[in-house]
Amino acid sequence: DPPKVAEQAELQREIKNILADSLTDEEIKVVVQLLGLDGKGSKSLRVVAHILHRSHEGIAYIYNKALKKLRENPRFQRLRD
């Protein structure tokens, strides 16, 4: 269904823009890999920690900090609604 594909593409662009405007590069890497926003599937904390050479506790901290920033972003809140 072409309209649905176009809508999905627009949503993905908006999410990428919000991430870029709201988060640090490291936070983006963590969120993208944990949630599978790169199209490669979601990864566990341990796998992301190994990839980024961090402890899994460190990755969890970065992820939670990023989620807090996103929850406070009005553009992200509009997407959720």
Side-chain angles (χ1 to χ4, degrees):
D1 182 18
K4 190 169 187 158
V5 170
E7 184 179 322
Q8 286 286 61
E10 179 59 32
L11 180 60
Q12 287 177 339
R13 275 192 295 279
E14 183 64 18
I15 290 170
K16 287 180 182 180
N17 288 336
I18 291 170
L19 293 178
D21 293 344
S22 305
L23 306 178
T24 66
D25 289 343
E26 184 174 47
E27 290 167 340
I28 292 170
K29 288 177 189 173
V30 169
V31 169
V32 165
Q33 291 196 24
L34 286 173
L35 300 180
L37 299 177
D38 56 1
K40 298 178 182 176
S42 60
K43 296 175 181 67
S44 70
L45 282 174
R46 289 194 188 276
V47 170
V48 175
H50 178 75
I51 291 169
L52 298 179
H53 307 287
R54 298 274 191 153
S55 68
H56 69 277
E57 293 90 354
I59 295 299
Y61 175 79
I62 293 167
Y63 180 64
N64 288 323
K65 187 170 66 167
L67 288 183
K68 183 176 187 287
K69 287 181 181 181
L70 291 172
R71 285 186 194 111
E72 294 170 353
N73 184 310
R75 287 172 54 204
F76 184 74
Q77 289 175 359
R78 281 194 302 270
L79 278 183
R80 289 177 36 191
D81 296 338

